[in-house]
């Protein structure tokens, strides 16, 4: 019996020592709860040097994970398996997450750099008073095209894509809201239209574009356009900027009929374990010089007005990515249309894709 007791005590002591050692190691590596910040963001959407700088300045270890769609992000947050401290959803998803009580209200007193954000991008319908979110990047959906491959063809509107001269030359992003929105805008309908007859009309018009469509693709659209595998692409503005950096023959236009004005904002999910560190990181990213560095790396448009003076003049004055107020008035933010209407969009988009086959 004494021997069993001694063995039992030895196991308990060894286990305690092991747990102590693991805890010490985690603290040394920055994985203790109070010293860790878990961020959930889009891919290629932050300058890694800034994460290193934040860790050095604060002593907080950053764990960085990425997602490829708002819907994938929402599912992970809803499941709660990973306790994300910061996420970066788009505007319509922020609205949905608010409705589902998945977000923690922000403490603006802990984000003094919030004053640097352009007032035009604050207090928008998807998050009145910015109770839950802070602008990170914004941009448009438009048309990137190769001026060399198209010779004298000028593209200024959605309707130009139906030119027979563009046969088998167009790549589309694989997104229901983007493609259906293009169809709706080409008919002068709102890209938030929920009338079934209008969506059907948009789908039928998209069907007539089929001869000009080479493929409907994902992130690879950037490589394909930059390598001149196709002459035209319907893309997000930041992706267009990346392509134009790789290929000087490319240009980008926001169609004259109007298009999507989108926002990606930083939020703190209800699952957050380190709310204080989340506020620190948000404030850090809103620093003018930090924001300027991040904007140059990511290539999307910054909502940080104070950052503009630290950025190259040719970048700030480029109306393709910082559109004039006149054009901005024609742009629409995606609204949260609800499950029923989103299902209708997805259904018509699927019908369009199947029509191509």
């Amino acid at each position: 019996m004494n021997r069993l007791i001694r063995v039992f005590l030895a196991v308990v002591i060894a286990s305690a020592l092991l747990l102590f050692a693991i805890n010490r190691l985690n603290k040394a590596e920055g994985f203790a709860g109070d010293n860790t910040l878990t961020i959930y963001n889009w891919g290629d959407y932050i300058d890694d040097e800034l994460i290193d700088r934040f860790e050095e300045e604060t002593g907080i270890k950053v764990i960085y994970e990425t997602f490829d769609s708002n819907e994938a992000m929402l599912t992970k947050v809803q499941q709660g398996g990973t306790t994300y401290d910061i996420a970066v959803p788009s505007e319509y998803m922020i609205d949905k997450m608010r409705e589902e009580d998945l977000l923690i209200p922000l403490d603006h007193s802990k984000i003094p750099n919030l004053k640097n954000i352009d007032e035009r991008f604050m207090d928008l319908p998807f998050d009145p008073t910015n109770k839950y979110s802070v602008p990170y990047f914004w941009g448009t959906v438009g048309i990137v095209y190769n001026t060399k491959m198209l010779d004298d063809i000028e593209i200024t509107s959605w309707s130009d894509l139906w030119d027979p001269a563009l046969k088998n030359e167009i790549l589309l992003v694989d997104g229901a809201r983007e493609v259906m929105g293009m169809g709706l805008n080409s008919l002068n309908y709102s890209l938030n239209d929920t009338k079934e007859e209008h969506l059907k009309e948009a789908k039928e018009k998209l069907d007539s574009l089929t001869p000009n469509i080479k493929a409907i693709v994902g992130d690879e659209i950037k490589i394909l356009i930059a390598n001149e595998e196709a002459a035209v692409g319907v893309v997000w503005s930041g992706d267009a900027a990346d392509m134009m950096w790789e290929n000087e023959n490319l240009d980008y236009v926001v169609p004259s009929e109007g298009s999507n004005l989108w926002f990606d904002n930083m939020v703190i999910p209800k699952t957050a374990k380190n709310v204080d560190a989340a506020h620190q990181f948000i404030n850090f990213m809103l620093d003018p010089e930090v924001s300027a560095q991040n904007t140059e790396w990511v290539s999307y448009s910054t909502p940080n007005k104070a950052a503009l003076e630290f950025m190259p003049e040719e970048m700030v004055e480029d109306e393709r990515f910082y559109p004039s107020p006149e054009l901005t008035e024609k742009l629409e933010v995606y609204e949260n249309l609800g499950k029923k209407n989103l299902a209708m969009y997805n259904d018509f988009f699927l019908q369009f894709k199947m029509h191509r086959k």
Side-chain angles (χ1 to χ4, degrees), residues 64-349:
Y64 192 84
E65 296 185 18
T66 63
F67 56 86
D68 58 9
S69 74
N70 279 288
E71 289 67 29
M73 179 277 307
L74 178 64
T75 299
K76 288 289 288 290
V77 171
Q78 288 172 327
Q79 291 173 343
T82 303
T83 55
Y84 297 110
D85 299 303
I86 289 178
V88 190
S90 301
E91 67 295 312
Y92 73 94
M93 188 56 68
I94 293 170
D95 194 11
K96 183 175 179 62
M97 294 174 81
R98 281 197 310 125
E99 290 180 354
E100 297 188 14
D101 193 30
L102 293 173
L103 301 177
I104 293 176
L106 300 176
D107 183 346
H108 287 193
S109 70
K110 295 182 178 180
I111 315 175
N113 283 330
L114 194 61
K115 67 180 184 294
N116 296 324
I117 298 295
D118 191 321
E119 291 183 359
R120 292 181 300 158
F121 306 123
M122 297 287 286
D123 195 26
L124 295 174
F126 62 87
D127 184 21
T129 72
N130 291 88
K131 182 177 180 180
Y132 297 100
S133 71
V134 170
Y136 183 61
F137 279 116
W138 67 278
T140 58
V141 173
I143 304 168
V144 64
Y145 61 99
N146 191 306
T147 56
K148 183 186 73 173
M149 295 175 69
L150 296 183
D151 295 325
D152 297 327
I153 299 176
E154 184 179 7
I155 295 180
T156 60
S157 70
W158 291 121
S159 60
D160 291 332
L161 298 183
W162 275 260
D163 187 335
L166 297 180
K167 183 177 181 180
N168 201 39
E169 286 290 358
I170 299 174
L171 297 179
L172 301 181
V173 292
D174 191 8
R177 292 297 297 268
E178 287 73 27
V179 176
M180 291 301 299
M182 174 184 74
L184 289 165
N185 277 158
S186 71
L187 294 166
N188 294 315
Y189 295 141
S190 166
L191 49 72
N192 293 306
D193 200 318
T194 56
K195 293 182 179 179
E196 186 172 357
E197 61 269 27
H198 290 174
L199 288 168
K200 182 179 180 182
E201 188 180 349
K203 181 264 178 188
E204 290 172 349
K205 183 164 184 182
L206 289 170
D207 286 345
S208 69
L209 183 64
T210 296
N212 290 2
I213 298 173
K214 186 167 190 174
I216 299 174
V217 294
D219 289 341
E220 64 269 29
I221 193 170
K222 291 191 286 187
I223 297 174
L224 294 171
I225 295 288
N227 290 343
E228 302 189 344
E229 297 293 331
V232 180
V234 174
V235 299
W236 293 281
S237 53
D239 286 350
D242 285 342
M243 298 177 211
M244 292 162 64
W245 177 263
E246 297 291 334
N247 189 326
E248 62 181 12
N249 296 316
L250 297 176
D251 202 352
Y252 177 76
V253 63
V254 179
S256 57
E257 300 98 329
S259 187
N260 171 230
L261 175 66
W262 56 261
F263 297 91
D264 288 335
N265 285 18
M266 293 179 281
V267 301
I268 302 179
K270 265 284 179 67
T271 57
K273 295 294 184 184
N274 201 341
V275 176
D276 285 340
H279 281 88
Q280 286 185 64
F281 185 81
I282 290 172
N283 193 60
F284 171 79
M285 294 305 297
L286 297 187
D287 175 86
E289 293 188 56
V290 168
S291 180
Q293 178 179 332
N294 198 36
T295 301
E296 287 191 60
W297 192 90
V298 175
S299 297
Y300 280 93
S301 303
T302 179
N304 193 316
K305 192 173 183 179
L308 299 179
E309 64 179 276
F310 297 98
M311 293 165 52
E313 186 175 340
E314 63 272 16
M315 191 175 187
V316 173
E317 295 182 353
D318 192 338
E319 289 198 357
R320 294 170 299 183
F321 304 104
Y322 291 88
S324 67
E326 293 76 20
L327 180 55
T328 303
E329 288 180 3
K330 295 183 179 181
L331 304 178
E332 295 180 88
V333 175
Y334 287 140
E335 297 175 2
N336 175 15
L337 302 179
K339 289 183 178 179
K340 180 180 178 181
N341 290 321
L342 284 176
M344 186 164 56
Y345 267 73
N346 290 332
D347 185 51
F348 277 118
F349 182 51

